[in-house]
Amino acid sequence: GDSVTQMEGPVTLSEEAFLTINCTYTATGYPSLFWYVQYPGEGLQLLLKATKADDKGSNKGFEATYRKETTSFHLEKGSVQVSDSAVYFCALALRGGSNYKLTFGKGTLLTVNP
Amino acid sequence: DGGITQSPKYLFRKEGQNVTLSCEQNLNHDAMYWYRQDPGQGLRLIYYSQIVNDFQKGDIAEGYSVSREKKESFPLTVTSAQKNPTAFYLCASSHQYEQYFGPGTRLTVT
């Protein structure tokens, strides 16, 4: 079945460090790919997305490129801030009927220290 | 403001009682979803609905029930048959592939 594997956390970085969170997927079909962020005690917010191969999604300094050849969608940020501390989820969507279902990775907890 | 509301934010129940979690959206989305989140396990799909008066089981539907009588509302009932109901529950709605989430309800059953 369809699945998403992301690097296990927790990840702890100092402010202004470079961030990479790895995400790979398996899917029967051609998925759309997403990164969601969850701040403590809150729901998930869409961070960025890509719908076809070689697309780069970007938002708030975060980037991820849809790599079909390696089935990957790694999240990167050049300089993290304390406010980036959250849980990050990689997800894929395949169309089922007239709407889409999301398959999530298990999440990666990021802590950024001042 | 358009969005998804879930109430209450915290809910406490005794074992053996049914409890209903509310989810309302004013985004005019056709599809709505319920997820359960447990530490270290990501999100798991409980039920989803693509249209009013229709819904489908997700990956972990046992012990849960839903209704979809209005486009805006998709309440989830956690029944006494659910063996381990304590969790964080998230509701979402979607337009095509992009899902929008509510703030969640943390349910504790003792």
Side-chain angles (χ1 to χ4, degrees), chain B residues 4 13 20-21 23 28 39 42 44 47 52 66 76 89-90 108:
Chain B
I4 301 175
R13 281 294 182 271
T20 297
L21 281 60
C23 177
N28 200 34
R44 292 182 290 171
Y47 268 98
V52 173
V66 294
L76 174 74
Y89 291 88
L90 287 160
T108 302

Side-chain angles (χ1 to χ4, degrees), chain B residues 1-89:
Chain B
D1 284 335
I4 301 175
T5 57
Q6 292 185 244
S7 60
K9 189 165 180 65
Y10 299 96
L11 192 53
F12 298 89
R13 281 294 182 271
K14 295 290 187 187
E15 197 173 318
Q17 294 178 335
N18 292 353
V19 58
T20 297
L21 281 60
S22 167
C23 177
E24 304 278 332
Q25 56 103 355
N26 61 4
L27 299 168
N28 200 34
H29 289 165
D30 286 319
M32 296 187 74
Y33 308 79
W34 274 106
Y35 294 91
R36 171 183 171 133
Q37 186 177 21
D38 297 284
Q41 293 202 40
L43 275 72
R44 292 182 290 171
L45 182 64
I46 304 172
Y47 268 98
Y48 64 103
S49 168
Q50 297 180 347
I51 196 168
V52 173
N53 292 323
D54 186 48
F55 47 83
Q56 288 80 40
K57 293 181 179 180
D59 301 319
I60 55 164
E62 186 176 349
Y64 300 97
S65 65
V66 294
S67 63
R68 187 86 187 277
E69 297 176 3
K70 299 186 299 181
K71 188 174 185 178
E72 302 80 16
S73 179
F74 191 40
L76 174 74
T77 296
V78 184
T79 75
S80 56
Q82 168 51 233
K83 292 188 174 67
N84 187 17
T86 294
F88 189 51
Y89 291 88

Side-chain angles (χ1 to χ4, degrees), chain A:
Chain A
D2 306 321
S3 66
V4 173
T5 302
Q6 58 183 107
M7 65 186 283
E8 294 196 13
V11 174
T12 302
L13 297 173
S14 297
E15 206 164 22
E16 300 184 2
F18 184 86
L19 168 71
T20 300
I21 301 177
N22 290 338
C23 172
T24 57
Y25 68 90
T26 58
T28 52
Y30 201 173
S32 296
L33 301 173
F34 306 85
W35 277 100
Y36 281 84
V37 59
Q38 184 179 34
Y39 299 102
E42 298 184 8
L44 275 68
Q45 301 174 27
L46 179 64
L47 182 59
L48 52 84
K49 66 185 180 190
T51 58
K52 61 182 187 296
D54 300 325
D55 266 2
K56 177 187 281 189
S58 61
N59 186 25
K60 300 181 181 180
F62 291 89
E63 293 183 339
T65 301
Y66 190 143
R67 300 285 187 202
K68 189 180 178 188
E69 64 276 13
T70 55
T71 62
S72 65
F73 193 54
H74 305 321
L75 182 69
E76 296 182 336
K77 187 175 185 183
S79 176
V80 294
Q81 306 300 312
V82 172
S83 58
D84 294 327
S85 298
V87 180
Y88 292 82
F89 292 93
C90 185
L92 67 83
L94 283 167
R95 185 168 182 163
S98 60
N99 277 289
Y100 296 76
K101 290 197 293 178
L102 284 178
T103 298
F104 288 89
K106 292 189 175 183
T108 302
L109 173 63
L110 170 66
T111 301
V112 180
N113 295 318

